[in-house]
Amino acid sequence: MQVDRQDPHVGADVVQASSRSGELTVRFLPSAVRPPPTILCILDPELLDRITTRRAELDELEEQLATQLEAVRAERDELAVAERVLERVSEQLAEERASARPMAGQVGAGGAC
């Protein structure tokens, strides 16, 4: 079965044909290949050049930001390692100081009189 109709969304003639399996096949007539007038305005070479230029600027900025993000994450990892080392050294020093203090009741090395 074949149906010819005007498609209001495309503004062109569309031919629809159904196959035996029940699938719908849509073919556009040559008049449907023409872009609508609004698209013709977008295809202005100056506008396309501006879009291309801006896209290149954004791509470059994305690269710079990705590099900066990588550097920030690396530095953050280094700071986390330094923080853990500082905590361990502080704990060791605290333990050494605690073991070096004389216990209560201990008076020098001399012994009882």
Side-chain angles (χ1 to χ4, degrees):
M1 178 176 179
Q2 191 167 348
V3 178
D4 292 337
R5 67 181 176 87
Q6 178 77 20
D7 188 335
H9 300 291
V10 179
D13 294 324
V14 176
V15 174
Q16 296 179 337
S18 58
S19 66
R20 292 180 187 174
S21 64
E23 294 177 2
L24 178 65
T25 305
V26 177
R27 292 180 316 178
F28 292 96
L29 296 175
S31 62
V33 177
R34 260 180 302 143
T38 54
I39 293 179
L40 292 177
C41 294
I42 295 174
L43 298 178
D44 177 26
E46 182 181 333
L47 188 55
L48 286 175
D49 187 44
R50 290 174 56 194
I51 291 171
T52 302
T53 301
R54 183 61 180 151
R55 184 181 308 275
E57 291 170 354
L58 292 175
D59 289 345
E60 184 179 332
L61 180 60
E62 180 183 27
E63 239 178 77
Q64 291 173 357
L65 291 174
T67 302
Q68 286 179 345
L69 180 59
E70 187 178 321
V72 165
R73 287 180 174 163
E75 186 175 349
R76 187 183 293 161
D77 291 344
E78 291 173 5
L79 288 174
V81 169
E83 188 177 27
R84 287 193 301 266
V85 168
L86 180 61
E87 287 173 2
R88 284 190 207 137
V89 169
S90 296
E91 289 171 0
Q92 288 175 353
L93 287 174
E95 289 173 6
E96 288 175 8
R97 287 181 185 152
S99 64
R101 286 189 202 133
M103 290 190 192
Q106 262 188 337
V107 179
C113 297

